């Protein structure tokens, strides 16, 4: 009992494999990439806040995406539109994204030859923001584990195994259950929790306090993600708001801006330093000067500096590891190039 939806909104040549497998986010739960079928499976959110598992594929013989919705044979028009919106956001399928790809590739001939220009992101900006925090000063293996734990916690919240209690005296609900991964928790779900409960299940440390505060600000309306997403705010205004929040230093802020569609800041960390020492050997830089040096080096691709940087980084990874799209999930933890650990400036 499965439902099939189709997304036909892209006009230019589209390569789903390259649109997905280009950033550490695609390796993080609840995303599951299948190297053999070249498909992406994960839960998406419906209008009643429940989740449904979907598999997204792009058969070579078709000019559109196929979205297989598992376990149901019908959805409302509202939910169908919501599913298509989430898929479109993840894969950056919009007229605006097509324009950005075209303009970037006009500046970067190698990226055009490779078919690079889209950076994978989450169905919602809140998930991107939390994952940016999880990347902060942490090994890649632990980051993967924390994302998985949050999805497992979400499944327990959904089935009532864990109660959403914000008061100090929590009522524990214990049920026999088979542990299955859920969706990535929403701002509403995280805002209903306290940091101790999150750490009990996910071991996020000080990050738990940061993401609870972030979620509460989103839920209260103090932080309007829709204004950011629709670019009602300038990049500078977004940066100013993020810089006031714990967890969003230069690296995380640049990552979030990139997810929104502002590509002018290079998300510099120790991987950037490694890349320059291995690939751009003629550029003099140190930990102290890297942020300025990296920004200056990629300024020739303005306003797509972060896209040019990620192109170089992906090429470097795949030279060493082979195509990221062909790695098994067991190999993800070895992709140290995605670790973002020991950031030059702690977020």
């Amino acid at each position: 009992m499965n439902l099939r939806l189709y997304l036909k909104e892209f006009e230019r040549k589209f390569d789903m494999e390259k649109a997905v497998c280009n950033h550490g986010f695609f390796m993080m739960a609840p995303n599951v990439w299948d190297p053999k079928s070249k498909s992406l499976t994960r839960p998406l959110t419906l209008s009643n806040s429940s989740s449904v598992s979907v598999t997204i594929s792009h058969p070579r013989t078709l000019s559109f995406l196929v979205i297989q919705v598992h376990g149901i044979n019908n959805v409302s028009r509202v939910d169908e539109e919501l599913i298509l919106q989430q898929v479109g956001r993840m894969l950056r399928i919009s007229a605006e994204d097509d324009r950005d790809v075209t303009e970037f590739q006009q500046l970067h001939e190698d990226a055009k030859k490779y078919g690079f220009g889209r950076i994978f992101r989450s169905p919602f900006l809140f998930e991107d923001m939390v994952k940016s925090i999880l990347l902060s000063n942490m090994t890649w293996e632990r980051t993967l584990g924390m994302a998985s734990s949050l999805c497992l916690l979400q499944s327990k919240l959904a089935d009532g195994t864990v109660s959403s209690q914000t008061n100090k005296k929590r009522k524990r609900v214990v049920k026999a259950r088979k542990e299955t991964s859920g969706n990535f928790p929403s701002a509403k779900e995280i805002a209903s929790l306290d940091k101790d409960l999150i750490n009990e299940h996910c071991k996020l440390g000080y990050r738990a306090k940061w993401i609870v505060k972030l979620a509460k600000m989103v839920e209260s309306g103090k932080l309007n993600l829709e204004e950011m997403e629709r670019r009602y705010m300038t990049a500078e205004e977004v940066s100013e708001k993020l810089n006031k929040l714990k967890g969003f230093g230069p690296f995380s802020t640049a990552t979030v801006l990139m997810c929104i569609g502002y590509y002018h800041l290079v998300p510099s960390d120790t991987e950037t330093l490694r890349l320059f020492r291995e690939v751009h050997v003629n550029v003099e830089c140190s930990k102290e000067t890297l942020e300025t040096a990296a920004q200056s080096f990629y300024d020739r691709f303005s306003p797509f500096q972060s896209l040019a940087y990620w192109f170089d980084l992906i090429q470097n990874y795949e030279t060493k590891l082979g195509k990221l799209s062909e790695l098994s999930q067991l190999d993800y933890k070895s992709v140290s190039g995605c670790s973002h650990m020991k950031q030059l400036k702690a977020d």
Side-chain angles (χ1 to χ4, degrees):
M1 183 173 64
N2 295 318
L3 170 70
R4 284 195 172 190
L5 302 177
Y6 305 96
L7 185 57
K8 309 177 183 180
E9 296 179 10
F10 53 90
E11 297 178 357
R12 61 180 288 111
K13 186 177 181 181
F14 179 82
D15 188 324
M16 179 172 160
E17 179 181 353
K18 291 178 180 177
V20 173
C21 305
N22 54 47
H23 191 281
F25 280 178
F26 94 88
M27 302 179 189
M28 296 174 71
N31 300 307
V32 179
W33 172 258
D34 185 339
K36 293 183 178 179
S37 64
K38 299 186 186 304
S39 62
L40 178 71
T41 298
R42 67 159 289 156
L44 296 180
T45 303
L46 300 179
S47 57
N48 63 0
S49 298
S50 65
S51 298
V52 62
S53 178
V54 307
T55 296
I56 309 159
S57 60
H58 186 198
R60 292 184 179 181
T61 57
L62 302 179
S63 60
F64 48 83
L65 296 181
V66 177
I67 304 161
Q68 187 171 358
V69 186
H70 302 290
I72 57 177
N73 55 21
N74 188 38
V75 292
S76 68
R77 292 294 295 273
V78 171
D79 282 332
E80 178 178 339
E81 182 62 27
L82 188 55
I83 289 171
L84 295 179
Q85 286 176 0
Q86 291 173 75
V87 173
R89 186 184 191 276
M90 286 189 291
L91 304 182
R92 296 187 187 260
I93 299 173
S94 70
E96 189 173 48
D97 289 308
D98 284 345
R99 182 202 65 204
D100 287 343
V101 171
T102 298
E103 292 181 1
F104 169 61
Q105 291 182 352
Q106 287 174 347
L107 295 173
H108 201 305
E109 187 64 29
D110 288 341
K112 183 177 182 179
K113 292 178 181 177
Y114 185 76
F116 176 86
R118 303 174 196 268
I119 296 291
F120 181 77
R121 56 186 177 178
S122 307
F124 297 104
L125 179 57
F126 179 75
E127 182 176 331
D128 290 330
M129 296 177 74
V130 174
K131 286 182 173 179
S132 295
I133 291 176
L134 298 185
L135 288 166
S136 176
N137 297 313
M138 180 55 60
T139 65
W140 176 235
E141 184 174 0
R142 276 289 294 126
T143 294
L144 290 172
M146 288 189 292
S148 295
S149 295
L150 280 169
C151 293
L152 179 58
L153 174 59
Q154 192 280 333
S155 72
K156 294 177 180 179
L157 291 169
D159 69 12
T161 305
V162 172
S163 265
S164 301
Q165 300 284 335
T166 55
N167 55 315
K168 292 183 179 180
K169 187 177 180 180
R170 295 193 300 272
K171 178 183 177 182
R172 295 182 179 271
V173 179
V174 180
K175 297 180 180 179
R177 74 188 298 276
K178 178 181 179 181
E179 291 196 345
T180 56
S181 181
N183 202 347
F184 199 85
S186 65
K188 183 177 181 179
E189 287 172 319
I190 290 181
S192 72
L193 307 175
D194 61 47
K195 63 180 179 63
D196 294 329
L197 187 146
I198 292 176
N199 274 329
E200 179 183 338
H201 291 271
C202 305
K203 305 294 190 295
L204 304 189
Y206 56 83
R207 296 168 187 80
K209 183 178 180 179
W210 293 352
I211 69 170
V212 168
K213 183 176 181 179
L214 172 65
K216 288 183 176 180
M217 290 188 68
V218 171
E219 281 300 290
S220 68
K222 292 181 180 179
L223 188 65
N224 192 322
L225 300 191
E226 185 176 358
E227 286 186 353
M228 293 184 183
E229 189 78 78
R230 295 182 180 274
R231 303 196 192 184
Y232 296 153
M233 300 168 60
T234 66
E236 290 71 25
E237 289 172 333
V238 174
S239 296
E240 184 178 350
K241 283 188 174 292
L242 293 179
N243 290 337
K244 293 177 181 178
L245 301 175
K246 286 287 188 179
F248 295 98
F251 171 83
S252 296
T253 296
T255 300
V256 172
L257 287 171
M258 184 171 65
C259 289
I260 294 173
Y262 294 117
Y263 302 105
H264 61 292
L265 292 181
V266 176
S268 298
D269 64 355
T270 51
E271 273 304 286
T272 318
L273 184 61
R274 180 194 61 77
L275 180 72
F276 272 72
R277 288 176 175 174
E278 291 183 8
V279 179
H280 306 306
V281 294
N282 294 325
V283 179
E284 293 186 8
C285 63
S286 62
K287 289 185 178 181
E288 291 72 26
T289 63
L290 177 60
E291 190 174 328
T292 300
Q295 196 66 40
S296 177
F297 180 81
Y298 288 106
D299 274 346
R300 56 195 163 126
F301 299 107
S302 178
F304 304 107
Q305 290 93 320
S306 63
L307 287 181
Y309 165 68
W310 268 102
F311 175 77
D312 284 352
L313 203 55
I314 292 300
Q315 293 298 302
N316 182 256
Y317 294 158
E318 295 196 338
T319 297
K320 297 179 176 182
L321 303 170
K323 295 178 69 174
L324 298 184
S325 61
E326 296 178 356
L327 296 178
S328 73
Q329 291 185 53
L330 295 176
D331 293 326
Y332 286 172
K333 63 183 180 181
S334 66
V335 185
S336 59
C338 295
S339 66
H340 307 305
M341 62 183 294
K342 298 180 180 178
Q343 288 173 222
L344 304 180
K345 293 188 176 181
D347 285 352

